[in-house]
Amino acid sequence: MPGRKSKFDRFRAMHERAGAFVMPNAWDAGSAMILTILGYEAIATTSAGYAFSVGKRDSFAALTRDEVLANAAAIAAATDLPVSADLEDGFGPAPETVAETVIMAAERGLVGGAIEDATGDPDDPIHPFGLAVDRIRAASEATRGRSFLLTARAENFLYGRPDLNDTIARLQAFAEAGADVLYAPGLPDLEAIRTVCREVDRPVNVVMGLSGPNHTVADLSGAGVGRISTGGSFARAALGALIRAGREVMEAGTFTYASEAVPDAEVAAMMSQKRGGGRL
């Protein structure tokens, strides 16, 4: 396995070249191994995908920091690719807590991570502007000397606040506070994405696979996007196949789903070939 510094250098270089690259989101070690074999250059984690895999909802109240970091560490250990963690809101409103979360992520093998400006409170879903910036500044300071690429997320459009001007102002302030990558999930169309990319001076991440417009990699690259992630959509696609198979057997009593299942040998070849110890 390459070291963290080597992975970080590769990851940073991906953001410095022309065009967009795709960074899919894995939810466990097995999915990370498969995405590695498929040829991706970097992987992100997904709090949603992980939450579903352990029978929980994707929410601040459901997942603890220790759980999320343990899952991210397992994914990072399963691949030789750079891995960036979904660090949600940093697991607390205080800038000091966010900084601590970033340090813990770096110590667990991650070379990047994203911090949201969402609060987890449905009645007041977005942190005030000043506090949101202070949180990113604290996270940026925590990355110093730690080979960690910080992504700052402006969550307005996911929480019923479709204010493009405020979103851009937040992203610009996040960049000034030290964020390396900027991310505003839920932008409504390609023109809004193009506007964000034009108005900021950092690489922009866009998530695809959610509900809404279905732009291609070429479309997004042409709009100025630097990185494309998939959020929890790959995990939901896998769960969708499970639901369809389960319904077929329960409702029709047939097993035709098996014709589209990946052969056991193919999946096994993508997994670790290390032998376990302790057998008697």
Side-chain angles (χ1 to χ4, degrees), residues 2-8 11 45 65 68-77 81-87 90-91 97-115 138-151 180:
R4 274 194 72 254
K5 181 61 165 60
S6 173
K7 291 182 180 181
F8 170 76
F11 193 43
T45 70
R65 181 167 64 180
V68 168
L69 289 177
N71 171 253
I75 290 171
L81 299 182
V83 177
S84 182
D86 177 355
L87 298 176
F91 297 95
T97 302
V98 178
E100 183 181 59
T101 297
V102 167
I103 292 170
M104 293 172 71
E107 290 173 345
R108 284 158 176 76
L110 285 305
V111 298
I115 297 293
S140 175
E141 291 172 356
T143 69
R144 292 177 184 171
R146 290 190 167 88
S147 299
F148 194 92
L149 205 75
L150 177 65
T151 298
D180 301 296

Side-chain angles (χ1 to χ4, degrees), residues 16 34 43 51 54 78 81 126-127 132 138 156-157 171 189 203 237 273:
E16 295 171 349
I34 291 171
I43 292 174
V54 294
L81 299 182
I126 304 296
H127 283 296
N156 276 334
F157 281 86
L171 294 176
D189 51 43
Q273 303 305 305

